[in-house]
Amino acid sequence: MPLYEFRCLKCQELFEALVMGQNDQKEMKCPHCNSVEFEKVMSTASYAMSGGGSPGTAAKAQTRTCSSGSCTTYDIPGPTG
């Protein structure tokens, strides 16, 4: 049962919805303005680092202006590849 995040296209409010399955026919609306116009957004990851960590091991975010508004890129420490 995945939890999805959406952005209302009318008021720009972010909200989450628990999706039970494809056959689950539930009307979704923005809880802030009741609009039915929204887009699915990529949720941010939640993680915890074990140990004390050292300065510079925290996630870094870079926000910039994109054609669809603002975009954020997250650099999460850890092995790559």
Side-chain angles (χ1 to χ4, degrees), residues 6-16 27-38:
F6 298 91
R7 174 179 288 117
C8 177
L9 297 175
K10 184 176 178 183
C11 70
Q12 301 302 309
E13 186 77 16
L14 289 174
F15 63 96
E16 296 175 336
E27 182 181 17
M28 289 181 33
K29 294 190 253 184
C30 172
H32 186 356
C33 72
N34 290 323
S35 174
V36 294
E37 297 180 34
F38 46 85

Side-chain angles (χ1 to χ4, degrees), residues 1 3 6 11 15 17 24 29 35 39-40 42 48-49 51 57-58 66 71 79-80:
M1 292 182 284
L3 187 63
F6 298 91
C11 70
F15 63 96
D24 185 23
K29 294 190 253 184
S35 174
E39 64 184 354
K40 186 175 169 185
M42 181 71 81
M49 298 196 55
T57 60
C66 298
C71 302
T80 59

